[in-house]
Amino acid sequence: MPDTTQTKPTEKRGKILFQLLEGSKRFFIASVLLGWLSSLLELVSPQLISFIVDSVLGEKVPSLPAPLAGLLARLGGTEALRQKLYIPAVAVVVLALFACAARWAFRMMNAHGQESMLRHTRRKLYLHILRLPLSWHHQNRTGDIIQRCTNDVETIRSFLSDQLITLIRTALQIILALYFMIGISPRLSIVTAVFIPITILFSLFFHKRIQKSFRVVDEKEGVLSAVAQENLTGVRVVRAFGRESFERERFEKTNEEYTGMWDHLMKLLSAFWASGDVLSGLQRMLILFIGASFCIAGQMTVGQFIAFISYSAMLEWPVRQLGRVISGMSRAGVSIDRIAYILGSEEEAEADIPQGPDMTGDIVFSHVTFGYGEEGDVLKDVSFTAKAGKVTGILGSTGSGKSTLMYLLCRLYDLKDGQGQITVGGHDLAKMDRAYVRSHIGIVQQEPFLFNRTIGENISIGAEGADGSLIREVSGIAQLEETIGNMTQGYDTLVGERGVSLSGGQKQRAAIAQTLILQRPILLMDDSLSAVDTRTDARIRKELAAMPNKPTRILISHRVTTLMDADEIVVLDKGRVVEKGTHQALYAQGGMYRKICDLQSPEGIGGGEA
Ligand SMILES: Nc1ncnc2c1ncn2[C@@H]1O[C@H](COP(=O)(O)OP(=O)(O)OP(=O)(O)O)[C@@H](O)[C@H]1O
Ligand SMILES: [Mg+2]
């Protein structure tokens, strides 16, 4: 697994975030502005209440800012207001309604922003991943890729829609509230100003530990579900080897550890909430005590006191949240780096013209040398020709590079300069468009993969709209007709997850039919007859040979009988071509091929009568 957690400079992270925000920026900007508006409206309300309390109920009428004083005069002054109490009441309600509307619009914009960002990011990642070369997919674990596309995207979403916006909004809330509070009583504001950093630091301290604990719980949960999943999917092996009690103990131990971690986390959370409450209580008590004494001493009106308490209460929650928000933000940086790794991986370059030459000619491998990575070359100076419309057999022990040859032919991997050349009908494969090459080659993979659909649907999966007669025809060639005929629902029989309800040989034959239906000019069969008996194997090959517009066929096998009818057999050993020729010639030669023949059939396969 490549190292992808290297910290990137903030500027680079910002750039990536900007890319992910394509199409959703305006929603987030609107939500920030609306958030500010709703905070502002909420913060004006205590001012109004303070004025009402003092001017309507109190003895002392506070001095008002010019516009409000003008408004009051037009309404008939304090005395008139005392007669029409509904006016201030309605004003408070109207203000609350505006604040409510602003909050609603804030949430709407925020939700739109999140959805749009998620949709865009998922799409961007998925399309990019689909275009990444196979070598990249082999280097990176599927689970990890999926996690980056789900968990990391989710972390970024919560960073943008929750943490960042809360931070921006709370900062303004604190500044404005403090401004109003200082306007009421600078001395009492000192209490709040002292408690704000203490509360933030306190919550930051706890949340760092809580987050760490959450991560451990997450990891333990991952282990627990991996143990459960392994046991459920491998239930056959567990039963067959009588490992139930061992596996049960393993599960119980992991379960126990997981529960223990939750316990620890809950204790931490309880301690945080309880001690946070004490801190808030202390602050409230101090403000009440000092504020009340100011009121008694006539340094503050009752209305101002109420407004001050309202501001202090308004700030309590946002400030307590800040620790969680700030400590969670560091995770977003890591997630951005992990997504940047995917987006920064280079896609397969495509040729300018997505067309190419005729693919029915000879396939020529000349001096092909290839390796997957640091471990050295898997293929060494391989040269051979697969004649157009003929059968070329490739025989070789396990790991000798047979499948690698096929991957190169499909351009799942690319040959670099100096690694030799592959041509089809004299045209260099490297210069053709990859999609074009792949759309002319039918490959039956070594490990067939069937989807949890009906057998008919599985066969026609690559050929959308294929009619029933074509499906039956290819099934006939693949010797599947009888098998399917014996199934209760015929072609409509479901095959289960990964084709679990089919035997190994049935799966292989379904995979052959799946490829044949594509009617491609080149047909590669990578050990695709290994799980069928020799008679069925021979019948399938015979049917293939009888096909009209015979494709150029390359058959890979460990079994000599599968290959002995081929027009040419290439024998691979540790990545090198050691022998080439027809069965008779190679048998007569008495080399490696002959040795394999003798090993597989001690009575002798024979050199002449094949
Ligand atoms: N994706 C990969 N990354 C690194 N090495 C690989 C990869 N795929 C195959 N190899 C290595 O390349 C060598 C040839 O593998 P290949 O699959 O071509 O053999 P094969 O002849 O098809 O074997 P088998 O008969 O078992 O299918 C092996 O040593 C294998 O370990
Ligand atoms: Mg192979």
Side-chain angles (χ1 to χ4, degrees):
M1 187 75 210
D3 180 19
T4 59
T5 48
Q6 261 180 15
T7 313
K8 294 210 165 35
T10 318
E11 192 191 329
K12 230 176 184 170
R13 284 181 179 165
K15 236 186 224 167
I16 286 155
L17 211 52
F18 211 66
Q19 274 180 28
L20 302 184
L21 278 171
E22 208 181 300
S24 54
K25 263 185 254 93
R26 55 180 180 204
F27 295 121
F28 282 121
I29 291 171
S31 94
V32 166
L33 295 177
L34 285 162
W36 278 346
L37 180 66
S38 81
S39 298
L40 190 66
L41 290 172
E42 280 163 17
L43 285 163
V44 168
S45 184
Q47 290 286 317
L48 200 64
I49 293 172
S50 150
F51 169 75
I52 294 165
V53 169
D54 288 339
S55 58
V56 178
L57 305 176
E59 301 291 308
K60 220 166 90 178
V61 180
S63 59
L64 281 174
L68 280 182
L71 186 69
L72 185 62
R74 242 177 293 144
L75 288 170
T78 314
E79 203 41 52
L81 214 58
R82 281 184 179 154
Q83 305 305 318
K84 298 177 194 161
L85 272 178
Y86 67 91
I87 294 179
V90 169
V92 171
V93 172
V94 169
L95 204 63
L97 279 178
F98 275 119
C100 195
R103 216 173 317 143
W104 176 81
F106 159 76
R107 294 220 175 276
M108 284 298 284
M109 284 298 128
N110 196 301
H112 276 313
Q114 291 179 40
E115 279 319 308
S116 153
M117 189 287 256
L118 279 180
R119 189 167 3 105
H120 171 71
T121 306
R122 270 192 231 118
R123 191 167 176 272
K124 195 174 170 73
L125 277 170
Y126 190 64
L127 293 185
H128 184 72
I129 288 170
L130 283 184
R131 286 194 290 256
L132 288 172
L134 199 67
S135 51
W136 185 88
H137 285 274
H138 283 170
Q139 270 168 18
N140 297 280
R141 280 175 290 135
T142 314
D144 186 68
I145 302 173
I146 293 176
Q147 196 153 35
R148 283 169 200 243
C149 295
T150 51
N151 286 9
D152 288 308
V153 172
E154 175 57 31
T155 306
I156 294 176
R157 181 199 64 80
S158 115
F159 167 73
L160 285 169
S161 68
D162 174 26
Q163 292 153 352
L164 193 62
I165 287 186
T166 307
L167 192 69
I168 296 172
R169 196 176 162 188
T170 311
L172 185 86
Q173 244 172 341
I174 293 175
I175 293 170
L176 278 181
L178 276 177
Y179 169 77
F180 286 131
M181 286 161 111
I182 291 169
I184 296 171
S185 163
R187 277 187 298 165
L188 196 53
S189 304
I190 295 173
V191 178
T192 313
V194 167
F195 268 91
I196 287 175
I198 293 177
T199 312
I200 294 176
L201 286 176
F202 166 81
S203 136
L204 201 60
F205 165 78
F206 259 102
H207 275 103
K208 285 246 178 257
R209 297 178 62 188
I210 289 170
Q211 287 234 330
K212 206 165 131 199
S213 200
F214 256 121
R215 260 197 298 280
V216 179
V217 168
D218 269 353
E219 278 162 25
K220 279 274 169 261
E221 191 181 358
V223 175
L224 186 69
S225 60
V227 169
Q229 196 199 356
E230 201 177 57
N231 276 308
L232 290 177
T233 45
V235 65
R236 249 192 267 182
V237 181
V238 173
R239 297 270 160 91
F241 288 85
R243 305 260 300 176
E244 287 99 326
S245 64
F246 175 81
E247 293 298 339
R248 195 168 45 233
E249 270 167 36
R250 195 158 79 107
F251 180 83
E252 268 171 16
K253 190 166 160 263
T254 321
N255 198 8
E256 207 63 42
E257 282 171 2
Y258 174 61
T259 318
M261 290 319 299
W262 256 118
D263 220 40
H264 175 71
L265 180 61
M266 287 302 128
K267 277 184 193 145
L268 211 57
L269 279 170
S270 309
F272 168 67
W273 289 117
S275 46
D277 285 348
V278 171
L279 204 62
S280 302
L282 202 65
Q283 185 185 356
R284 260 179 256 162
M285 192 264 296
L286 274 175
I287 288 174
L288 269 175
F289 179 74
I290 303 173
S293 51
F294 282 179
C295 277
I296 294 165
Q299 291 161 342
M300 203 191 230
T301 66
V302 176
Q304 285 175 324
F305 184 39
I306 292 174
F308 197 97
I309 291 174
S310 302
Y311 285 129
S312 165
M314 267 184 196
L315 283 188
E316 214 171 85
W317 270 108
V319 170
R320 276 178 80 169
Q321 272 205 82
L322 274 188
R324 174 187 68 81
V325 169
I326 296 169
S327 66
M329 283 174 112
S330 58
R331 276 176 62 199
V334 178
S335 289
I336 293 173
D337 292 349
R338 283 166 57 81
I339 283 176
Y341 166 74
I342 296 186
L343 293 177
S345 302
E346 216 164 303
E347 294 182 1
E348 282 186 332
E350 282 307 344
D352 294 338
I353 320 151
Q355 276 152 23
D358 181 39
M359 296 284 279
T360 53
D362 289 353
I363 301 168
V364 182
F365 279 75
S366 49
H367 306 290
V368 171
T369 298
F370 176 81
Y372 285 100
E374 324 273 273
E375 294 102 61
D377 290 337
V378 169
L379 294 174
K380 295 160 199 140
D381 197 26
V382 172
S383 296
F384 71 92
T385 300
K387 286 255 182 248
K390 304 277 184 204
V391 180
T392 304
I394 297 182
L395 185 76
S397 55
T398 170
S400 56
K402 305 181 296 296
S403 297
T404 306
L405 277 178
M406 299 304 101
Y407 299 152
L408 289 174
L409 189 51
C410 291
R411 288 211 43 202
L412 293 176
Y413 293 92
D414 280 334
L415 289 174
K416 295 192 194 81
D417 283 341
Q419 289 190 319
Q421 196 185 35
I422 304 170
T423 58
V424 180
H427 302 281
D428 188 358
L429 206 67
K431 298 212 171 78
M432 295 183 206
D433 180 73
R434 277 192 193 81
Y436 178 82
V437 172
R438 289 172 201 159
S439 67
H440 285 76
I441 299 179
I443 179 163
V444 187
Q445 308 258 7
Q446 194 162 7
E447 286 153 21
F449 184 93
L450 298 182
F451 293 88
N452 189 8
R453 300 181 197 170
T454 68
I455 180 105
E457 281 171 332
N458 265 295
I459 292 173
S460 59
I461 214 147
E464 224 176 305
D467 62 9
S469 66
L470 186 60
I471 297 177
R472 275 193 300 280
E473 190 188 322
V474 293
S475 306
I477 301 174
Q479 303 298 306
L480 256 181
E481 278 254 272
E482 204 185 317
T483 313
I484 296 175
N486 289 337
M487 292 176 178
T488 45
Q489 282 164 302
Y491 284 93
D492 296 326
T493 312
L494 282 166
V495 301
E497 213 174 321
R498 288 173 166 255
V500 69
S501 65
L502 300 184
S503 74
Q506 285 167 348
K507 259 187 276 191
Q508 270 194 343
R509 281 177 284 151
I512 294 173
Q514 213 173 39
T515 306
L516 286 179
I517 206 164
L518 304 173
Q519 299 173 309
R520 305 264 162 94
I522 298 172
L523 177 64
L524 311 179
M525 292 175 63
D526 190 355
D527 219 5
S528 321
L529 297 166
S530 60
V532 300
D533 60 75
T534 40
R535 262 179 48 207
T536 313
D537 172 350
R539 266 196 240 142
I540 293 174
R541 282 182 290 114
K542 205 169 137 206
E543 293 276 357
L544 285 175
M547 271 166 69
N549 306 326
K550 275 192 259 315
T552 308
R553 283 148 289 164
I554 299 186
L555 292 188
I556 291 178
S557 183
H558 293 116
R559 195 148 73 191
V560 173
T561 48
T562 304
L563 303 179
M564 55 199 274
D565 297 333
D567 298 284
E568 180 162 55
I569 300 165
V570 178
V571 184
L572 269 188
D573 184 33
K574 298 192 190 95
R576 279 187 198 284
V577 176
V578 287
E579 285 168 15
K580 260 190 296 196
T582 58
H583 169 71
Q584 290 85 344
L586 289 178
Y587 193 82
Q589 212 169 300
M592 187 172 214
Y593 183 81
R594 171 71 175 260
K595 252 191 244 158
I596 298 170
C597 283
D598 292 344
L599 264 174
Q600 290 189 4
S601 177
E603 309 87 65
I605 288 173
E609 70 281 10

